[in-house]
Amino acid sequence: MSKASIKLPLFTALRDSLREGYSLATLRGDLLAGLTVGIIAIPLAMALAIAVGVAPQHGLYTGIIGGLIIALAGGSRFNISGPTAAFVVILLPITQAYGLGGLLLVTGMSGVILLVLGLARMGNLIQFVPYPVLMGFTAGIGIVIATLQIKDFLGLQNVGQHESYLDQVQALASALPSIQLGDTLVGSATLLVLIGWPYLTRRIPGHLVALLVGSLLAVLLLQLDLQVSTLGSRFSYEIDGITHPGIPPFAPQWLLPWTLPGADGTPLQVNFNLLRELLPFSLAVAMLGAIESLLCALVADGMANTRHDPNAELMGQGLGNMIVPFFGGITATAAIARTATSVRSGARTPMAGVFHALVILVAVVLLADLFAYLPMASLAAMLLIVAWNMSEVPHVLHMLRIGPRQDVWVLLICLALTVLFDMVLAVGVGLLLASALFIKRMADLSQGAKMPRHQHLALSELPDSVALYQINGPLFFAAADKALSAMSRFDESIAFLAIDMQAVPSMDMSALVMFEKALRDLDRREIRVYLIGVNASVRLKLKRAGVGALRGRRHYVANPDRVAELIRQQLADDNASAKS
């Protein structure tokens, strides 16, 4: 086995970009992109960690460790990885049921699955997820994320987290009388800046300006004795027995995920039963991570006119998610919005992702005390914008108007299942529905019918005892009965049957059994059969099934001219036999 055949697809994007040369201009572009995206990623990482039910520093650790490893090891030059909004819906129930320790175990297990997918060359996975399914569960995730942010945006009290979406909505409605004016003002101001700032300039990240405005307004409102919930009032850490508000000002530290608390506050008891319970979550996280990362890489390629290595990207994502839990990080994957910002800011190589991770690290070490003043309502406003962008409401409405009705139903069902139940069920049902639609459409394309002989000039001069049957489209379980049923309805005057199979690209086992049965029925009726234009793969399947040529009874022929020649010869032989 050659070295090339066993080389793992890791670090491919970094190797390819460095092989082209790394100039000062490239370094400048990567530094600017890393700085820009790092500034955007800091508040988003904290907000997303809070949204999945853990302390904000775990989101930052994800951006630092996951962002660094995946950028270096992956197959996309531009993917910026870290916590993303798409995972909120699936990670929050894990945190509620298994605590931080369980969440980190799921992250590590999903990393192993992603690594295996990359090794198995499953990088083209994204091609097998139909667009209505993808759009449906993405829009549904956006709706759920937006709903979860209403509590902090309005400062509602005693809402809690509920497993059912309808229960969550009911709890929010019941808590509306507890709305806090301070939080609402801060959230609204932040949201207005986030919406309006891109119309003024894109040189300065709108997230930074919005957070600054929200934080200054919060300080002013606190001076006026209006309650405003901040990150420091919600979260704290302890050093030497002293409690401090906010997040610890330290770089990520090595830890063992299974020593962290479960949902009941005690360390997890890792055993086979626990791993078996976490496996379905890990599979779902890995599937979503693969889809999100590969889709992000495709978007980046479209913007920068490059190509990524999908298998290397899966392996990089897997390696990052295997390592990040040992530093307190949660699930990481490529973020489309941050990646697009990086490309627009001048990124040239994966080093932009590395610099983005270092920016977050520096911010954690030097600015952690300032993070305590960030208003929770401002972080919620940021996630509301993320949810709106994820939902792609204008695009979804457009597709509802112009899309085929059956695809629209798939989209709506996926959306409803994501919101009311969970993403795993939505994607599973969506794929089943999309597959059923595909089967139906393929079956509609497959048909068989008796045709007039003059359709082929060579057959037009033959006697009426010759019939022509034409089969079009793939023969498979859903189409075979319709395509073959008419073959049994020829009257007793037919002695020769030409079956045109030039337009049959494939045949499955169900169709093979039905076709064999139909041919045997024709044999019993002593009808001679001529199979026209059977392609090599279908002919091989027929041969293996014992449906081969029978001397004087069944022939494989290349074209109608050869059929006409064989039938004339057979008629001549029959006449000669009759005279003798």
Side-chain angles (χ1 to χ4, degrees), residues 9 46 61 78 85 114 120 134 136 166 204 207 210 217 288 295 298 317 387 396 406 455 464 491 532:
M46 291 190 287
Y61 299 160
F78 304 107
L114 284 167
L134 195 63
L166 295 179
I204 302 175
H207 293 75
L217 179 58
L288 181 58
L295 183 62
L298 286 173
Q317 294 286 338
V396 170
Q406 294 169 329
Q455 180 166 315
D464 291 339
D491 57 44
I532 305 173

Side-chain angles (χ1 to χ4, degrees), residues 401-447:
R401 288 195 302 270
I402 69 167
R405 181 172 299 179
Q406 294 169 329
D407 288 327
V408 167
W409 276 112
V410 172
L411 189 159
L412 292 175
I413 289 171
C414 285
L415 190 154
L417 290 176
T418 301
V419 172
L420 298 177
F421 296 96
D422 61 66
M423 189 212 74
V424 179
L425 178 64
V427 173
V429 172
L431 287 174
L432 286 175
L433 289 175
S435 299
L437 285 178
F438 173 77
I439 291 170
K440 181 181 181 300
R441 287 165 179 166
M442 292 301 293
D444 290 341
L445 292 176
S446 300
Q447 52 189 320

Side-chain angles (χ1 to χ4, degrees), residues 216-238:
L216 292 176
L217 179 58
V219 171
L220 176 61
L221 294 176
L222 287 170
Q223 296 297 320
L224 298 175
D225 292 330
L226 281 176
Q227 180 179 333
V228 178
S229 179
T230 63
L231 193 146
S233 66
R234 181 76 61 85
F235 298 96
S236 61
Y237 62 97
E238 188 175 299

Side-chain angles (χ1 to χ4, degrees), residues 368-415:
D369 292 340
L370 294 178
F371 293 162
Y373 297 99
L374 293 176
M376 297 299 297
S378 292
L379 297 177
M382 290 179 57
L383 288 188
L384 285 175
I385 291 293
V386 170
W388 173 264
N389 293 333
M390 279 192 68
S391 299
E392 295 187 279
V393 175
H395 184 55
V396 170
L397 293 176
H398 177 66
M399 294 307 297
L400 292 180
R401 288 195 302 270
I402 69 167
R405 181 172 299 179
Q406 294 169 329
D407 288 327
V408 167
W409 276 112
V410 172
L411 189 159
L412 292 175
I413 289 171
C414 285
L415 190 154

Side-chain angles (χ1 to χ4, degrees), residues 15-50:
R15 288 200 308 265
D16 291 344
S17 57
L18 293 181
R19 194 178 295 123
E20 297 173 2
Y22 200 81
S23 64
L24 186 61
T26 304
L27 174 62
R28 189 183 304 114
D30 286 341
L31 275 173
L32 179 59
L35 179 63
T36 303
V37 180
I39 291 172
I40 294 173
I42 292 167
L44 278 176
M46 291 190 287
L48 291 167
I50 295 168

Side-chain angles (χ1 to χ4, degrees), residues 107-334:
T107 297
M109 292 169 66
S110 69
V112 174
I113 295 170
L114 284 167
L115 193 66
V116 171
L117 288 176
L119 286 170
R121 309 290 178 177
M122 297 292 288
N124 292 322
L125 184 68
I126 187 68
Q127 297 178 2
F128 299 99
V129 182
Y131 191 65
V133 176
L134 195 63
M135 184 185 296
F137 84 73
T138 303
I141 289 170
I143 292 171
V144 175
I145 292 172
T147 304
L148 293 174
Q149 303 317 304
I150 293 174
K151 170 181 173 289
D152 287 334
F153 187 84
L154 300 178
L156 302 180
Q157 305 297 309
N158 302 319
V159 175
Q161 297 286 358
H162 300 267
E163 292 186 8
S164 166
Y165 178 80
L166 295 179
D167 289 342
Q168 187 71 39
V169 172
Q170 184 178 359
L172 289 169
S174 301
L176 281 177
S178 66
I179 187 171
Q180 300 297 313
L181 179 60
D183 291 297
T184 306
L185 289 173
V186 170
S188 300
T190 306
L191 190 61
L192 288 173
V193 173
L194 286 168
I195 295 172
W197 189 257
Y199 294 100
L200 300 177
T201 180
R202 292 185 180 271
R203 292 186 176 182
I204 302 175
H207 293 75
L208 181 62
V209 178
L211 277 180
L212 182 60
V213 170
S215 300
L216 292 176
L217 179 58
V219 171
L220 176 61
L221 294 176
L222 287 170
Q223 296 297 320
L224 298 175
D225 292 330
L226 281 176
Q227 180 179 333
V228 178
S229 179
T230 63
L231 193 146
S233 66
R234 181 76 61 85
F235 298 96
S236 61
Y237 62 97
E238 188 175 299
I239 300 179
D240 298 330
I242 301 175
T243 301
H244 303 270
I247 66 172
F250 308 122
Q253 306 291 315
W254 175 266
L255 55 84
L256 299 177
W258 47 87
T259 63
L260 295 174
D264 58 0
T266 60
L268 287 173
Q269 298 296 319
V270 179
N271 50 46
F272 178 77
N273 288 333
L274 177 63
L275 296 179
R276 185 177 60 184
E277 291 178 18
L278 296 179
L279 182 59
F281 294 107
S282 304
L283 289 168
V285 169
M287 180 185 68
L288 181 58
I291 293 172
E292 180 110 346
S293 298
L294 296 176
L295 183 62
C296 183
L298 286 173
V299 171
D301 285 345
M303 296 178 66
N305 195 27
T306 56
R307 296 190 65 179
H308 70 285
D309 184 332
N311 297 311
E313 183 60 22
L314 286 182
M315 291 192 68
Q317 294 286 338
L319 189 63
N321 280 283
M322 287 170 61
I323 296 174
V324 74
F326 292 93
F327 291 89
I330 60 176
T331 305
T333 191

